[in-house]
Amino acid sequence: MTLKNYDQARRFTAYVSTLGTTQLHMRNPYVIMFWSAMFPGFGHLLLSKYLRGFLLFVWEVVVNIQGHINLAIMYTFLGDFDMVKNVLDLQWTLLYIPTFFFAIWDSYRTTVDLNNQYLLSAREDAAVKPFKMDAIEINYLDKKSPWSSVLWSFLMPGLGQVAIHRIIPAFFILVWMIVIFYYSNLLPAIHSTFLGHFEQGKKLLNAQWFLNIPSVYFFTIYDAYVNTVESNKLFDWEQAKFLKRNYQSSSFRMPSIKNKGSEIMYVISTFRHSISLEKAITAIEMKGILKENILAVPMDKRAEQQRLFDTMNQSDGLSLFDLSFILGSFLALMGGIYGFVLHWGPLLWGLIGLAVGFVLGLVIRLVINKKHTRDRASQRNAEVVVIVECPDHQLESVKDLLWAHDALGVRKLDIDPI
């Protein structure tokens, strides 16, 4: 199917605006359900359904606080059922239950629907505008390190979203993390805990507000990681389409090994998808080499085998680290709960739960799906082959430009065209 212009498309795979990049991609419905169960609204935020996600998030905070739901959960796991009865507010709890299950159900249903929309948009193969600029902001597709986003989110939730230009969720997360940190007394408790005053750290924490933190904190890390990975994939896809449209001219003369000694030279190089690749090609054109004498061939990547979910045949969209984040956030919550009765306190036990869950999830994924990790490793190799036809006197300058723009390899062929 031929690539359609932006204005002609019925569905888009992605939309780049000044406030962020919204895109469709395959998602695992059960992963989205899990995050909705951990905190209503999170599943919808992962789907970029911001209005619905923000509404459910605010609802969760207000009703949970009024009904003392987190306190009841804590005392339930600690086995103190009399305290559960004492702390629960019946009216708020009965109000809480229907919307909680709606958030889980709706996130699953919406994931299945959006997976179908993604399949149709991918088949339509519409172009994506990779650059947006207006009076207040600039946004563009680029490649970033997922672990850089994780690190910034770990230091302060919301910064990972800022780093990948998801301005709307970043603002929402930053504001609410300030509120939750303040009312939970988290920072004074951290200070006391790391000074070794564990009992004082427990007393400083407001358990009702604190038990929101494991879910919210680790969701922001997961969200930043996943969206960075998917944004990088979108960059590769868009750049591959650009190269096919502009640097695969039918008039390009492929090299022949029959005759040698001509003044026509060919330089072959390999690249990964990056902005440096486009800079290299445009720099070569500025040397006077015509676009028709440059051939860029994006390589197809080995398709990963994905198992199918439910009757609608949705591929799982499960990454190597999904299970790690899921188990890490859950065990961090459990560590926070039991930390109120254990010596080191909820902060340290929460971090221990995080580490154990993350490593356990990673080990399980590596054991279950070794092929997946092999495929990921293979994708770190060359992704684009570039062939440049040039006169002999420009050969060295072309090679130097390719090397200067991060080519993985460069080789000349001093042979005649057919």
Side-chain angles (χ1 to χ4, degrees), residues 396-414:
E396 292 303 321
S397 62
V398 169
K399 289 176 61 179
D400 290 342
L401 282 173
L402 293 169
W403 283 122
H405 289 87
D406 303 325
L408 299 178
V410 177
R411 178 78 178 182
K412 78 175 181 72
L413 293 176
D414 52 343

Side-chain angles (χ1 to χ4, degrees), residues 89-98:
D89 184 298
L90 182 60
Q91 292 189 78
W92 284 102
T93 301
L94 293 177
L95 186 66
Y96 180 88
I97 294 172

Side-chain angles (χ1 to χ4, degrees), residues 34-40 42 60 64 69-78 96 100 180 205-219 324-342 345-358:
F34 167 81
W35 286 111
S36 291
M38 288 292 288
F39 207 103
F42 283 170
E60 163 69 16
N64 193 310
I69 306 296
N70 281 345
L71 287 177
I73 292 173
M74 181 183 74
Y75 289 125
T76 298
F77 279 98
L78 294 178
Y96 180 88
F100 176 80
I180 293 172
L205 281 175
N206 181 326
Q208 173 62 42
W209 282 92
F210 170 74
L211 291 179
N212 290 316
I213 292 177
S215 301
V216 178
Y217 193 81
F218 297 112
F219 165 79
S324 294
F325 281 108
I326 288 173
L327 291 181
S329 61
F330 178 74
L331 292 185
L333 177 62
M334 293 297 101
I337 290 174
Y338 288 106
F340 279 100
V341 296
L342 297 174
L347 295 176
L348 291 182
W349 281 108
L351 291 174
I352 293 172
L354 166 67
V356 171
F358 192 90

Side-chain angles (χ1 to χ4, degrees), residues 29-53:
Y30 298 124
V31 172
I32 303 299
M33 283 178 63
F34 167 81
W35 286 111
S36 291
M38 288 292 288
F39 207 103
F42 283 170
H44 293 86
L45 293 182
L46 283 170
L47 298 172
S48 298
K49 303 284 286 185
Y50 296 130
L51 294 180
R52 203 179 303 182

Side-chain angles (χ1 to χ4, degrees), residues 112-128:
V112 173
D113 289 345
L114 289 180
N115 282 348
N116 284 328
Q117 295 296 322
Y118 167 75
L119 290 174
L120 292 173
S121 67
R123 291 168 184 172
E124 191 168 352
D125 207 23
V128 172

Side-chain angles (χ1 to χ4, degrees), residues 7-21:
D7 296 331
Q8 298 175 331
R10 189 179 181 199
R11 293 179 179 85
F12 307 109
T13 302
Y15 175 71
V16 178
S17 73
T18 52
L19 295 178
T21 301

